[in-house]
């Protein structure tokens, strides 16, 4: 990967969400950082035409690692005036290519929550260290990244909000949301076979009991990965609706 990449043109999906921004100075570049002996590589995007970003958004990747999908989402956010950092949980030299590899890598994080949290926290620290980034951060993620977003919320992470897109909603034994007071937004499909409506109801009960401000938007008939372009589950209406909900959330938090 190159050290710096200028993106004068977003993907078609990005253009739908950020029409009229093609002339903006959207700059994206890869950022190396480390946790112990593991070198991680994130992706940072911002609009260099702006003196100050509207706020910083931390993106946690899906189970297949930090890919061009997260990079495009970061660029879309940069086109809206935010600084966006897509963190890396697996490591720079890790390049999974199969479902079995995705499952093994994500399963390793679920099985070692201490390491998972260390790498998530390192991504947040790296995001705040970037030029133009703000101290105030909203954390968001897709699928595995949605589960990671909720992991950070339960860890008491100092952020101004958390947004899960079709994420894993279960709470591991011994964890909870009592140490968190920033709002949580859940964007989920009613037909998600991974975390269904029973899981969503249980999560909302937990958040209510812990006194965490929360909101959920459910997209009828949407399945898992409804925002992932090209997937069998992709649902354009749910994708657009969830992106609009994110935009409203960011407006409120920043």
């Amino acid at each position: 990967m190159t050290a710096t990449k200028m993106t004068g043109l977003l993907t078609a999906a990005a253009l739908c969400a950020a029409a009229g921004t093609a002339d903006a100075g959207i700059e994206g570049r890869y950022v190396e950082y480390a946790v112990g002996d593991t070198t991680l590589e994130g992706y940072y995007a911002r609009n260099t035409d702006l003196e100050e970003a509207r706020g910083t958004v931390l993106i946690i990747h899906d189970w297949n690692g930090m890919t061009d999908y997260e990079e495009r989402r970061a660029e879309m956010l940069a086109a809206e005036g935010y600084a966006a950092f897509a963190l890396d949980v697996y490591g720079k030299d890790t390049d999974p290519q199969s479902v079995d590899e995705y499952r093994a890598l994500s399963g390793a994080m679920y099985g070692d929550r201490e390491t998972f949290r260390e790498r998530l926290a390192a991504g947040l620290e790296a995001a705040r260290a970037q030029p133009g980034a703000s101290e105030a951060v909203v954390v968001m993620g897709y699928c595995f990244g949605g589960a990671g977003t909720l992991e950070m919320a339960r860890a008491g992470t100092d952020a101004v909000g958390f947004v899960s897109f079709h994420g894993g909603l279960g709470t591991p034994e011994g964890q909870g949301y009592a140490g968190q007071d920033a709002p949580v937004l859940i964007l989920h499909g009613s037909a998600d076979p991974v975390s269904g409506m029973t899981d969503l109801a249980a999560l909302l009960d937990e958040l209510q009991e812990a006194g965490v401000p929360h909101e959920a938007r459910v997209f009828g008939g949407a399945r898992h990965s409804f925002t992932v372009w090209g997937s069998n589950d992709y649902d354009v209406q749910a994708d657009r609706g969830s992106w609009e909900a994110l935009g409203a959330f960011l407006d409120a938090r920043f």
Side-chain angles (χ1 to χ4, degrees), residues 59-78:
I59 304 171
I60 307 174
H61 60 70
D62 201 347
W63 71 337
N64 59 338
M66 208 286 287
T67 69
D68 58 359
Y69 178 82
E70 287 78 22
E71 293 171 19
R72 297 296 84 73
R73 291 294 186 180
E75 290 162 3
M76 290 167 67
L77 287 163

Side-chain angles (χ1 to χ4, degrees), residues 14-87:
L15 287 171
C16 289
T21 61
D23 292 334
I26 307 303
E27 179 186 88
R29 61 186 178 86
Y30 297 100
V31 177
E32 288 190 11
Y33 57 106
V35 175
D37 295 331
T38 302
T39 299
L40 305 164
E41 185 176 63
Y43 183 79
Y44 182 59
R46 64 174 179 144
N47 183 344
T48 57
D49 287 345
L50 300 179
E51 292 185 5
E52 184 176 352
R54 297 171 64 185
T56 301
V57 182
L58 183 69
I59 304 171
I60 307 174
H61 60 70
D62 201 347
W63 71 337
N64 59 338
M66 208 286 287
T67 69
D68 58 359
Y69 178 82
E70 287 78 22
E71 293 171 19
R72 297 296 84 73
R73 291 294 186 180
E75 290 162 3
M76 290 167 67
L77 287 163
E80 296 292 338
Y82 299 101
F85 187 84
L87 62 73

